[in-house]
Structure formats: C-alpha cells, structure tokens
Amino acid sequence: RVRIRDRYESVSWSFYQLRQMIEYKGIRSGAKVIAANPEYTSQKCPKCLRTNKANRDRKKHHFCCRECGYGSNDDRIGAMNLQRIGMKYIAEVAV
Ligand SMILES: [Zn+2]
C-alpha cells in the first residue's frame, strides 16, 4: 500500500536506472546527455509558460492550462517542458 502522492514513483521504473540507461546509450552513440531539473515540468504550460498545480489532473493524466486553455497528456507536457529546458541550455551554455 502506497500513498497516492508516492504512487507514480513507486510503480514507475527507477528514475536512477532510467537515467543510467539514457546516459549509457547517449555516450555509446556519441550524443551529449543533459540532465534537467524536472520540478514543475508537469504543471507548467509549454504555451504561455504559467505554472499552476491545478493545470494537471493526475488521475486522468491530463493537463489543461487555467490561463490559456492549452491541453494535452500530462507526460507529453512534461516532455515538452524538458525539451525547452534542454534547448535553452544549448542556446545559453553549450557553444
Ligand atoms: Zn497556458
């Protein structure tokens, strides 16, 4: 038995293991792997960039922005935000 707020982490593949595999595969293929802070990536709207906890419905796995109305699957939203963080890093830091 797990608390609802811990459920995602408990049933998901170990984040550590996943990161290890991504880094391993990245190095093998000559790609650079960037680690990004995933905090709020499922609550932030990738369109208007406003963050609101109420944007995400964890039970339905759906994201709907309270400000602009943009909606999609919450994992997709998280991936879009991580991509933006990665692109920002490449533009500002990696030359
Ligand atoms: Zn929005």
Side-chain angles (χ1 to χ4, degrees):
R1 230 181 141 79
V2 243
R3 287 178 296 184
I4 288 171
R5 67 184 175 139
D6 297 333
R7 193 171 291 160
Y8 183 73
E9 282 75 12
S10 67
V11 298
S12 299
W13 197 6
S14 155
F15 288 110
Y16 176 77
Q17 271 184 303
L18 178 61
R19 183 173 168 171
Q20 294 285 304
M21 288 195 73
I22 289 169
E23 286 175 351
Y24 173 76
K25 292 273 186 185
I27 289 165
R28 273 191 61 170
S29 65
K32 186 176 181 182
V33 178
I34 303 165
N37 184 353
E39 206 168 32
Y40 305 114
T41 49
S42 295
Q43 298 173 16
K44 187 173 200 159
C45 176
K47 191 175 173 191
C48 72
L49 303 180
R50 290 199 176 94
T51 302
N52 187 337
K53 194 174 181 180
N55 285 345
R56 183 187 190 190
D57 184 331
R58 291 181 81 108
K59 282 184 183 169
K60 292 180 183 169
H61 272 286
H62 187 75
F63 175 98
C64 185
C65 179
R66 302 289 180 213
E67 294 291 333
C68 73
Y70 183 76
S72 189
N73 171 277
D74 61 353
D75 288 331
R76 179 173 180 265
I77 295 294
M80 290 167 80
N81 283 321
L82 286 170
Q83 182 190 32
R84 190 190 65 255
I85 293 168
M87 296 302 282
K88 188 172 179 239
Y89 174 82
I90 289 168
E92 292 175 358
V93 181
V95 180

